[in-house]
Amino acid sequence: MKKLNERGFSILELVLSFTLISILVMGMLGIVLNYRSTVKVSTRRIGLTEFKSTVTSTIQEDILKFGVSSINRCSNGAGGVKMTCVVFHFRNGTSKNLEYFNTAINNRYIQYGTRRFPIEEVIRTEYPSLSDATIHLPSDRNGITLETKSVGGSVVYKVHLPISADDFSEDFGILIVTTNNAVISPVIPY
């Protein structure tokens, strides 16, 4: 019988083994880091979409319940208008302001009527992957866009509050298009 080599691994074999294992580990690490980055971006997109949907649906519920009689810019008290605010006048005689506040980095929010949608709080509690530095509201000069167009005997209103983020090219803003002659949905008791 032949005697087996009992010397173990040579230095060259050990170096080659460690080199191959290192290459495999680095490749796997790259895949994991790329996956984590993709998940983070997807989570940001979902968070912004849900935020937009929550604010938009709150406004749309009032439009469907009460019907819009008109939408105008808010007054700044000095005879001018605030570019950061529009007021929804409803057919039942009530009105609600849609306004955003973008002055302090830790106190930015959208307010509709008495309901406040704080951007930082939403990010911190519900969507922690969204950094407050990545979300942008328009400057006070650009503000909320309000367009009106007469069509037949009705007026069509288009209200747009842009919200953007560094990671994405799309607009996650609030977009409401309605008319002063829309059919009001009946209130169904639960």
Side-chain angles (χ1 to χ4, degrees):
M1 282 186 26
K2 266 186 168 182
K3 190 170 183 182
L4 291 174
N5 183 358
E6 296 178 10
R7 290 183 349 192
F9 292 109
S10 70
I11 294 290
L12 181 61
E13 290 171 331
L14 284 173
V15 168
L16 284 175
S17 297
F18 284 128
T19 304
L20 288 174
I21 289 172
S22 297
I23 290 170
L24 289 173
V25 167
M26 294 305 284
M28 292 301 289
L29 182 64
I31 290 170
V32 169
L33 290 176
N34 187 26
Y35 176 74
R36 286 185 68 194
S37 175
T38 302
V39 167
K40 187 175 182 180
V41 168
S42 295
T43 305
R44 283 183 184 161
R45 178 175 273 122
I46 289 168
L48 284 168
T49 303
E50 287 178 357
F51 182 76
K52 167 187 177 174
S53 177
T54 301
V55 177
T56 302
S57 65
T58 302
I59 298 168
Q60 289 173 338
E61 285 174 14
D62 283 349
I63 291 171
L64 289 173
K65 260 196 260 182
F66 307 123
V68 171
S69 60
S70 67
I71 302 173
N72 307 96
R73 290 229 175 259
C74 300
S75 171
N76 67 1
V81 294
K82 290 168 70 173
M83 295 302 288
T84 60
C85 180
V86 293
V87 58
F88 288 78
H89 299 282
F90 297 106
R91 285 195 230 157
N92 67 351
T94 62
S95 61
K96 289 187 180 180
N97 291 358
L98 171 64
E99 188 169 8
Y100 69 91
F101 299 86
N102 196 24
T103 53
I105 191 72
N106 293 325
N107 192 24
R108 297 180 306 145
Y109 58 93
I110 296 171
Q111 185 161 337
Y112 174 67
T114 59
R115 186 151 178 210
R116 198 179 263 205
F117 300 92
I119 292 173
E120 279 69 24
E121 181 179 310
V122 168
I123 292 165
R124 241 187 336 269
T125 59
E126 297 177 30
Y127 316 109
S129 67
L130 294 173
S131 155
D132 59 357
T134 64
I135 297 178
H136 304 288
L137 291 168
S139 68
D140 291 353
R141 227 173 327 135
N142 297 337
I144 299 174
T145 308
L146 173 61
E147 297 176 26
T148 59
K149 184 173 186 174
S150 294
V151 178
S154 301
V155 179
V156 177
Y157 300 96
K158 179 180 174 185
V159 177
H160 181 229
L161 168 55
I163 301 172
S164 61
D166 289 339
D167 298 347
F168 311 109
S169 59
E170 67 244 47
D171 178 18
F172 291 93
I174 312 307
L175 178 62
I176 303 291
V177 178
T178 188
T179 178
N180 65 341
N181 206 11
V183 176
I184 302 171
S185 68
V187 176
I188 302 170
Y190 293 100

